[in-house]
Amino acid sequence: MKMHFCIPVSQQRPDALGGRYTLYSVYLDGLLFCRVRYSQLHRWNEQLRRVFGNCLPPFPPKYYLAMTTSMANERRDQLEHYLQNVTVDPNMLRSDVFVEFLKRVQLDTFSITAKKAALDILLPDGRSMEVEILTSDTAERVLEVVSHKIGLCRELLGYFGLFLIRFCKEGKLSVMKKLADFELPYVSLRSSELENCKVGLRKWYLDPSLDSMLMDCRAAVNLIYMQAIQDIQGGWAEPTRAQRQKLEALQEEGNQTKFLELSREVRHYGCVQLDPCTCDYPEPGCGAVLSVGNNEISCCVTLPGNQTQHVVFPMSRVKCWQVTFLGTLLDMDGPQRTLNQNLELRFQYSEESHWQWFVLYTKQAFLLSSCLKKMISEKMAKRAAENPEMIEVLDQGKRKKYHIQQSQKDYSSFLPRTSKIKTAEGDCVSGTPEEEGL
């Protein structure tokens, strides 16, 4: 699936020869990832093409004359679409030419040199563990270092991930984003400009039944056990009084296996909870707290009269979603040209044979979108495992296609507030789509 790359702003800079060039600010999951020139991306595309041939998405052409404003905007849009589409192929994501370029531009953007460094990793129980890394180490590499230090089986790394996590009031944690494998955790942490933020280790699956895949590894069991305790204490998972008493007894006994078995029966166990936000359901301006996982979106809505209403949207009823940027540009004339992060995520769902939109205003819109993608990919993988005949294997070198009956697609982009959102045929696909490249 596509990654949340976007280029909401660009800036003109003078070059050494007295001319000017455009510097593009590339954002990933709503945070600044790097700044690059067209010429850098063009050379990178040529390198990728030498390795992968013509399977790459189209790259915007060179212009040898001065560009008009409309041409410049068109190029920016084309570069944004290129970055989104080039990340669909997992083989490309893992290639040296892909990773090395993105490592270099991340370091260059924030003027960080490649050197040895110490990085604190927040464990699921709230403790920190220091690991020795290079500032140029990717999240994938840092995860390997962490797993080696705690004894986590290498074949289970795919069930865990590194996240940017912020400490909020009263010790509560807020998950800001999942770090992509090619991101540099040291650089992302330094450049995030988020207060009280750390790189944290958490499990990265939203189907609680997948706990069973980890039970033969003591280190993995310790991690998900610690996270279960933290989620219950932090209110992310909501056991009944009877469940809480049994869980406390099992915790005193140190019976991790039974504790996790019972935890899977707890409401919202294994879900990601978002910070309080606002929504338009059942009317605009209502407060909302979302828990995402176990193949559903659970929403606790605070009504104008302070009553609460719980609404659950099974993923089988969700058709599509999109992320929109609602903020204003800040520091317009300065060297950074940063953004005020105001985001909207809206998803379309079925209710009584009618399609309706549910709109959320949250700074964690991209995290929510990533969670929705994760639930779909887990559902597809589960169906494929149960029904191998559903997988159509194409010619060697091409991607596998996973066929699913539910029509689901995501559309993520930065759109200015002045642009009205229109439901286009390309955004809401009906019938039986194909999700590729997972």
Side-chain angles (χ1 to χ4, degrees):
M1 290 183 176
K2 295 179 182 179
M3 290 191 171
H4 298 124
F5 272 115
C6 56
I7 307 177
V9 291
S10 60
Q11 188 177 21
Q12 291 291 313
R13 293 280 183 91
D15 61 25
L17 300 177
R20 300 183 70 81
Y21 66 88
T22 301
L23 194 64
Y24 296 96
S25 295
V26 179
Y27 282 67
L28 177 61
D29 294 334
L31 296 178
L32 181 62
F33 178 73
C34 68
R35 294 187 179 92
V36 290
R37 298 177 60 170
Y38 170 86
S39 58
Q40 292 175 281
L41 293 172
H42 185 273
R43 285 194 296 270
W44 181 48
N45 173 69
E46 292 300 311
Q47 293 171 344
L48 288 170
R49 199 167 295 280
R50 282 195 289 270
V51 177
F52 295 98
N54 294 324
C55 65
L56 270 73
F59 190 83
K62 284 185 176 181
Y63 292 119
Y64 295 95
L65 299 176
M67 291 189 295
T68 64
T69 301
S70 62
M71 292 168 67
N73 290 335
E74 183 181 15
R75 170 179 279 184
R76 192 177 71 188
D77 290 342
Q78 290 172 339
L79 288 172
E80 181 177 289
H81 293 151
Y82 174 84
L83 289 173
Q84 292 170 357
N85 290 314
V86 80
T87 57
V88 169
D89 188 342
N91 294 322
M92 204 168 301
L93 286 175
R94 291 190 292 265
S95 68
D96 289 342
V97 65
F98 182 94
V99 174
E100 290 302 318
F101 172 78
L102 294 182
K103 284 171 59 174
R104 187 170 65 254
V105 294
Q106 287 177 80
L107 290 168
D108 291 348
T109 295
F110 301 104
S111 302
I112 296 175
T113 57
K115 61 182 180 179
K116 290 183 179 180
L119 182 65
D120 283 337
I121 302 296
L122 182 68
L123 298 176
D125 63 353
R127 294 182 296 117
S128 289
M129 180 182 70
E130 185 179 281
V131 292
E132 295 296 324
I133 62 163
L134 296 175
T135 57
S136 57
D137 280 342
T138 63
E140 183 178 39
R141 173 57 185 161
V142 174
L143 184 57
E144 291 174 352
V145 173
V146 173
S147 66
H148 178 75
K149 190 166 184 176
I150 63 178
L152 178 63
C153 300
R154 188 179 181 88
E155 60 269 21
L156 299 180
L157 287 182
Y159 293 95
F160 295 89
L162 296 178
F163 298 79
L164 280 184
I165 299 176
R166 185 166 57 91
F167 289 90
C168 302
K169 294 180 180 179
E170 301 176 357
K172 290 189 175 181
L173 301 181
S174 173
V175 178
M176 303 309 297
K177 66 168 289 182
K178 160 98 172 41
L179 293 173
D181 286 348
F182 54 79
E183 279 190 83
L184 310 184
Y186 182 90
V187 176
S188 296
L189 183 63
R190 290 275 301 272
S191 64
S192 66
E193 298 181 353
L194 298 171
E195 295 182 356
N196 302 319
C197 195
K198 282 192 173 183
V199 175
L201 174 68
R202 294 180 64 85
K203 66 181 184 182
W204 182 228
Y205 56 89
L206 296 170
D207 180 354
S209 68
L210 292 176
D211 279 358
S212 62
M213 305 298 293
L214 283 62
M215 301 309 292
D216 291 335
C217 176
R218 173 52 52 192
V221 172
N222 284 338
L223 288 173
I224 62 176
Y225 174 70
M226 290 189 295
Q227 186 169 325
I229 293 174
Q230 185 189 68
D231 288 353
I232 291 171
Q233 292 176 345
W236 284 29
E238 302 173 2
T240 63
R241 180 177 296 180
Q243 287 175 331
R244 188 179 293 275
Q245 291 174 347
K246 291 180 181 178
L247 289 168
E248 289 173 351
L250 291 170
Q251 187 177 351
E252 289 183 6
E253 296 173 8
N255 194 331
Q256 295 180 336
T257 302
K258 292 293 185 182
F259 185 96
L260 290 169
E261 287 178 0
L262 179 56
S263 294
R264 287 194 284 274
E265 301 175 11
V266 172
R267 185 168 180 251
H268 295 158
Y269 168 75
C271 293
V272 173
Q273 186 180 105
L274 272 63
D275 298 341
C277 59
T278 58
C279 68
D280 72 343
Y281 182 95
E283 57 183 278
C286 291
V289 175
L290 265 69
S291 294
V292 189
N294 202 14
N295 212 33
E296 67 180 27
I297 306 168
S298 178
C299 187
C300 180
V301 179
T302 302
L303 304 175
N306 285 329
Q307 308 98 322
T308 58
Q309 178 180 348
H310 292 273
V311 188
V312 177
F313 302 95
M315 286 300 292
S316 59
R317 287 172 51 196
V318 175
K319 184 178 184 182
C320 62
W321 68 91
Q322 60 188 26
V323 178
T324 308
F325 170 63
L326 304 176
T328 56
L329 293 176
L330 299 177
D331 191 21
M332 289 288 288
D333 299 320
Q336 303 300 316
R337 198 170 187 184
T338 54
L339 287 171
N340 180 16
Q341 296 288 346
N342 293 313
L343 301 172
E344 167 195 287
L345 184 142
R346 57 173 58 206
F347 62 86
Q348 195 176 31
Y349 67 97
S350 173
E351 184 173 38
E352 298 179 354
S353 302
H354 297 290
W355 292 105
Q356 301 188 49
W357 288 97
F358 187 97
V359 182
L360 292 153
Y361 304 96
T362 169
K363 292 186 176 182
Q364 294 169 295
F366 287 109
L367 174 65
L368 175 55
S369 180
S370 296
C371 290
L372 299 182
K373 290 181 180 182
K374 190 66 175 177
M375 287 193 289
I376 291 177
S377 65
E378 289 174 355
K379 180 180 178 181
M380 291 162 57
K382 190 172 185 178
R383 287 187 178 183
E386 294 172 350
N387 303 285
E389 66 275 8
M390 293 177 67
I391 303 179
E392 176 189 355
V393 181
L394 301 182
D395 295 336
Q396 187 174 6
K398 294 185 179 180
R399 293 189 298 270
K400 293 179 180 179
K401 293 187 177 181
Y402 298 83
H403 298 270
I404 58 174
Q405 295 301 315
Q406 177 61 31
S407 174
Q408 289 168 314
K409 181 183 177 182
D410 76 289
Y411 171 73
S412 303
S413 65
F414 274 104
L415 298 176
R417 183 56 177 165
T418 53
S419 297
K420 299 296 183 181
I421 297 173
K422 297 180 180 179
T423 304
E425 292 297 326
D427 296 338
C428 305
V429 180
S430 59
T432 307
E434 300 170 353
E435 290 287 351
E436 301 182 340
L438 294 175

